[in-house]
Each structure stands twice: as structure tokens, then as C-alpha cells.
């Protein structure tokens, strides 16, 4: 791979700049010779958060701070593509075409309203560019290793760059598109940002059972995403078919994994929905996120719920009562030790050596109340297991 260091003024870079509002990307620069957002690049992010980042780019120029290196990929026909610097160039282009303002003497100014000397300063500021020529794989390998100023690429954005092609392009029109009307419905189950590729990443994770990169590699030349889309829709439809009500705790669960584990099991939607509502309201359930997997698994693994334990005052009262009673009768204060034949039959355990247990198991409807609390020695409590 060959690299050449070049200098361009901001006026040159932004000549012919067009911002596409619909796709939220900057298109061309250098009089049309430069493609600012090739298909493997991500959406423009600097306008988010009230445009703090794009304003910072202009402020840096006005203060003569360096903007950092830009990297362009030189194509065989001489055209250039931005490899790194897309967010900065788009900020500059948007400012030069009066898309946002910056503060000057405590007033907001669009570019063409700024004093002439400041306009000229911006236009004549030069930026350093590395122009790279090499094979597609060389460029992509290298693109994967450079760090993007300001907002580092996340894992999925990097994979989109490395495995760019018809598959990624098509997948992004569905899963990376904030105008897709389904996104709101999906947000009940999928956490993250459409623009930062979290939905695409989730869809790929589900269909590939965690093998995202291998899946992208295998499908990169395909122009359709049927399997990806169908599987994603199946998982969401399956979750909806079991739990009729939506809870915020459903968002971000491993639905793909739950689907793999349980979609062959038959569930009664009415019962499942009812049980979910009861457990969400149960003051003993501390981990509400675990409710859905607990129910899908047939209400066996109570660890998923992190069931609330007895409070210290209750434990102390029960310990006192049990220990006084045991001393009177000359037996162990652990009722299970007292029934045994070994040395512990008469052992009086210290408070710290005992743990609270539900006499009637919580999962069988036993309440977390003093009447249902007994203290057991550690060994017996752990052996009992099922809460
Ligand atoms: Zn015991």
C-alpha cells in the first residue's frame, strides 16, 4: 500500500459539498472528486447532542487548533473516498453551506454572516491528508486499525467497514435506518441506537447464534437479507406471542438465545402474561429482568429472580427464639441438625453461622415473612437449595 501526504484548504475540500438530509450524510467534496461517505461509512453523528461536536470543529478552526489527519482512499480511476475524517469534513461542509451557526462575540453566526476575515480564515485553513492507494483488503485492514478522531468506531461499525458490500448495504437500509417505522416496536426488545448499528448487531447476533463476524463474511456478497430479516422478525413475534404485556425490563434481554432454547416449547399466552404480571409485582423479586427467562424455563431456577432475603431484624428474632427453645430442650438450634444422629445433634450454632430459610419454599408460594422464616446451619441451608 502506498501513502502520500497532501494538503487541501477547507474551501477546496468543501467545494461542491452537498448534504443529504434524508440519508443524513455528506456526499461530495473536492469539486465532486471526493466521495465523503462511501457505503461502508457510518451516518453523520456530529449533529447529535445539539451539534456540540460540529460546532467544536468550527471553533477549532477559528482558534487555529489542529483538526488532525484525514485519510483518503485513492481509487484506480483517480477518485477519492474518505476513509477517516468523514465527520469532520461533513461538519465543515455543513457550516460552509449555512446549516448551523457558531457563537461569535456572544451571538450565533452562520458562515456567510461572519465577518469577512473570519470567513477567509476558515476557507484558507489547510488540512493534512494521507492519500492511500492499495488493494481493497489492504485498505480495509488498515481502516480497521486506525482510530477515528472523536468517536471511535464500535465493533459493529468496524465489521460493516471490513465486510462492506451488497449485504451490509441492504441490511443497513432495514436495521440502521431511524426512519424505519418498525424501530419503535423493536425498541421494546432491543437496546441501543439505530445509528450506532446496535439493531443490526442484534439481528446478526440472533441469526448467527453469536457468530456475527463469520456470518457477515459468509454472506457479504449476497444482495438479499432474507434469512437475517426473517429470523429477527420470528424472534420478536415469538416474544410477543408469549408475553402480551410489555415491560421496560424486556429491553436488551438475550431474546435470540431464549428463542433458541425455548421456541419448541408450547406456552399459554394468558397464563404466561398473568404470571409475569404477578412476579413483576412481587416484592420478593429483586431481579425483574430475570422474570421472563424464569417463566420460560418452567419456574425452576429461582436464582434468576434474586429473591429477596429476610431482613436482619427478622433473622435475629427467629435466631433468638430458636436458640432459646433449643437450649431448653438440649438440642441443636438448627432444626435439621437436631433431627440427625451425628455430632451436630446438640450443637448450638452462633448467629453468624446460620442462614435464613423459607420453611415453605418461596417458589411454592411461601411468603418472606417471619412466620415462614427458620434459621438453618449453613450446611443444611445450602443443601436445601430450592428457595
Ligand atoms: Zn444443620
Amino acid at each position: 500500500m502506498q501513502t502520500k501526504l497532501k494538503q487541501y484548504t477547507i474551501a477546496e475540500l468543501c467545494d461542491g459539498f452537498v448534504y443529504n438530509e434524508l440519508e443524513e450524510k455528506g456526499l461530495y467534496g473536492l469539486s465532486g472528486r471526493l466521495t465523503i461517505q462511501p457505503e461502508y461509512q457510518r451516518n453523520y453523528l456530529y449533529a447529535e447532542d445539539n451539534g456540540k461536536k460540529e460546532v467544536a470543529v468550527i471553533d477549532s478552526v477559528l482558534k487555529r487548533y489542529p483538526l488532525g489527519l484525514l485519510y483518503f482512499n485513492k481509487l484506480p480511476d483517480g477518485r477519492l473516498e474518505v476513509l477517516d475524517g468523514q465527520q469532520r469534513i461533513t461538519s465543515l461542509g455543513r457550516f460552509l453551506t449555512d446549516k448551523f451557526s457558531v457563537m461569535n462575540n456572544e451571538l450565533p453566526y452562520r458562515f456567510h454572516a461572519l465577518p469577512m476575515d473570519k470567513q477567509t480564515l476558515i476557507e484558507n485553513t489547510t488540512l493534512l491528508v494521507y492519500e492511500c492507494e492499495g488493494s481493497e483488503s489492504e485498505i480495509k485492514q488498515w481502516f480497521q486499525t486506525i482510530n477515528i478522531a472523536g468517536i471511535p468506531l464500535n465493533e459493529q461499525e468496524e465489521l460493516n467497514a471490513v465486510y462492506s458490500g451488497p449485504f451490509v448495504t441492504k441490511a443497513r437500509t432495514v436495521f440502521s435506518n431511524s426512519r424505519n417505522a418498525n424501530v419503535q416496536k423493536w425498541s421494546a426488545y432491543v437496546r441501543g441506537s439505530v445509528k450506532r448499528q446496535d439493531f443490526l448487531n442484534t439481528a446478526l447476533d440472533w441469526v448467527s447464534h453469536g457468530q456475527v463476524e463469520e456470518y457477515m463474511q459468509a454472506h457479504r456478497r449476497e444482495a438479499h437479507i432474507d434469512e437475517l430479516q426473517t429470523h429477527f422478525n420470528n424472534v420478536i413475534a415469538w416474544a410477543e406471542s408469549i408475553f402480551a404485556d410489555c415491560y421496560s425490563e424486556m429491553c436488551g434481554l438475550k431474546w435470540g438465545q431464549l428463542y433458541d432454547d425455548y421456541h419448541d416449547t408450547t406456552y399459554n399466552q394468558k397464563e404466561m402474561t398473568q404470571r409475569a404480571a404477578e412476579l413483576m409485582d412481587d416484592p420478593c423479586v429483586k431481579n425483574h429482568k430475570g422474570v421472563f427467562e424464569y417463566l420460560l424455563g418452567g419456574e425452576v431456577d429461582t436464582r434468576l429472580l434474586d429473591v429477596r432475603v429476610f431482613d436482619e431484624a427478622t433473622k435475629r428474632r427467629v435466631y433468638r427464639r430458636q436458640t432459646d427453645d433449643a437450649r431448653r430442650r438440649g438440642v441443636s438450634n438448627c432444626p435439621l441438625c437436631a433431627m440427625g444422629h451425628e455430632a451436630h445433634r446438640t450443637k448450638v450454632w452462633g448467629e453468624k453461622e446460620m442462614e435464613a430459610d423459607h420453611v415453605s419454599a418461596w417458589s411454592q408460594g411461601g411468603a418472606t415473612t417471619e412466620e415462614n422464616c427458620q434459621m438453618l446451619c449453613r450446611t443444611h441451608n445450602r443443601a436445601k437449595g430450592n428457595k
Side-chain angles (χ1 to χ4, degrees):
M1 191 173 72
Q2 285 192 320
T3 53
K4 242 183 251 158
L5 191 60
K6 294 236 182 158
Q7 281 195 21
Y8 292 106
T9 65
I10 287 177
E12 284 171 328
L13 279 173
C14 295
D15 183 38
F17 177 83
V18 177
Y19 184 71
N20 182 327
E21 299 280 352
L22 200 68
E23 294 184 41
E24 296 176 27
K25 58 191 201 180
L27 299 180
Y28 302 108
L30 289 175
S31 325
R33 202 158 72 85
L34 174 71
T35 302
I36 295 173
Q37 189 167 31
E39 65 172 51
Y40 51 81
Q41 280 277 16
R42 56 206 178 150
N43 299 358
Y44 183 57
L45 300 170
Y46 276 22
E48 290 182 348
D49 199 8
N50 286 325
K52 243 192 268 169
K53 285 211 159 78
E54 58 183 4
V55 167
V57 170
I58 307 307
D59 281 342
S60 302
V61 175
L62 287 169
K63 289 175 180 153
R64 298 167 194 270
Y65 295 160
L67 273 192
L69 280 170
L70 304 172
Y71 293 87
F72 294 171
N73 171 25
K74 192 165 187 188
L75 303 172
D77 64 4
R79 294 176 45 81
L80 299 162
E81 287 181 341
V82 177
L83 273 175
D84 185 13
Q86 171 226 354
Q87 307 284 336
R88 283 165 286 167
I89 297 174
T90 304
S91 301
L92 295 166
R94 275 168 53 82
F95 187 64
L96 263 59
T97 51
D98 290 333
K99 292 278 191 291
F100 64 97
S101 2
V102 297
M103 300 305 280
N104 182 47
N105 297 326
E106 289 169 30
L107 287 171
Y109 278 83
R110 304 218 160 211
F111 176 70
H112 288 99
L114 278 175
M116 263 331 266
D117 62 317
K118 295 213 161 150
Q119 289 188 34
T120 312
L121 165 68
I122 292 172
E123 286 183 326
N124 291 343
T125 297
T126 55
L127 298 179
L128 285 175
V129 178
Y130 266 119
E131 289 184 2
C132 318
E133 257 185 295
S135 71
E136 193 190 343
S137 57
E138 280 177 327
I139 299 279
K140 281 174 180 168
Q141 270 298 309
W142 176 75
F143 178 79
Q144 203 174 14
T145 60
I146 57 176
N147 217 8
I148 306 285
I151 306 175
L153 290 182
N154 65 31
E155 205 178 325
Q156 187 60 50
E157 286 168 335
E158 253 180 38
L159 289 173
N160 288 356
V162 173
Y163 297 108
S164 74
F167 181 82
V168 165
T169 304
K170 184 77 208 289
R172 284 179 44 153
T173 63
V174 175
F175 293 105
S176 316
N177 174 1
S178 43
R179 283 181 179 73
N180 182 337
N182 287 319
V183 165
Q184 200 181 349
K185 176 175 112 174
W186 296 345
S187 303
Y189 302 92
V190 179
R191 186 182 301 290
S193 139
V194 174
K195 279 193 187 179
R196 295 303 306 269
Q197 313 302 322
D198 294 321
F199 285 65
L200 175 58
N201 182 255
T202 300
L204 287 163
D205 180 57
W206 291 357
V207 75
S208 68
H209 313 286
Q211 309 290 306
V212 173
E213 181 158 7
E214 290 78 358
Y215 190 87
M216 290 181 78
Q217 201 165 9
H219 294 267
R220 65 178 301 196
R221 297 288 170 211
E222 291 169 12
H224 70 86
I225 56 163
D226 299 352
E227 185 188 50
L228 177 70
Q229 210 168 354
T230 305
H231 188 82
F232 184 81
N233 289 334
N234 283 347
V235 173
I236 302 255
W238 173 78
E240 284 174 333
S241 77
I242 294 168
F243 300 107
D245 296 335
C246 240
Y247 299 92
S248 59
E249 288 85 352
M250 286 177 160
C251 181
L253 298 183
K254 298 195 170 309
W255 289 107
Q257 180 70 51
L258 294 174
Y259 176 85
D260 291 347
D261 292 347
Y262 297 112
H263 79 276
D264 285 334
T265 311
T266 313
Y267 297 101
N268 176 321
Q269 190 198 42
K270 212 175 146 205
E271 281 170 25
M272 293 293 274
T273 305
Q274 170 70 24
R275 280 299 286 144
E278 286 166 9
L279 290 175
M280 294 308 268
D281 279 346
D282 191 323
C284 293
V285 173
K286 283 202 286 183
N287 180 26
H288 289 150
K289 283 175 176 299
V291 163
F292 310 98
E293 185 173 354
Y294 174 71
L295 291 174
L296 290 167
E299 308 204 23
V300 175
D301 190 357
T302 48
R303 284 172 308 178
L304 290 164
L305 304 178
D306 190 10
V307 176
R308 192 175 300 283
V309 292
F310 296 95
D311 63 62
E312 291 306 315
T314 303
K315 285 196 266 189
R316 180 151 300 158
R317 280 195 299 274
V318 173
Y319 174 81
R320 273 281 121 236
R321 196 173 61 227
Q322 258 176 238
T323 306
D324 291 348
D325 182 52
R327 285 221 167 90
R328 264 198 308 277
R329 294 165 44 208
V331 292
S332 171
N333 57 348
C334 166
L336 296 182
C337 285
M339 289 192 296
H341 301 289
E342 64 271 47
H344 289 161
R345 206 162 68 82
T346 55
K347 179 162 176 80
V348 176
W349 300 94
E351 198 181 331
K352 290 263 181 322
E353 296 171 306
M354 300 188 87
E355 292 172 347
D357 171 59
H358 287 81
V359 179
S360 153
W362 177 86
S363 55
Q364 308 297 320
T368 305
T369 56
E370 187 163 337
E371 297 69 53
N372 194 36
C373 176
Q374 67 177 345
M375 299 299 282
L376 296 179
C377 75
R378 221 171 272 158
T379 312
H380 276 124
N381 187 50
R382 301 208 172 152
K384 201 177 161 192
N386 183 21
K387 295 271 168 193

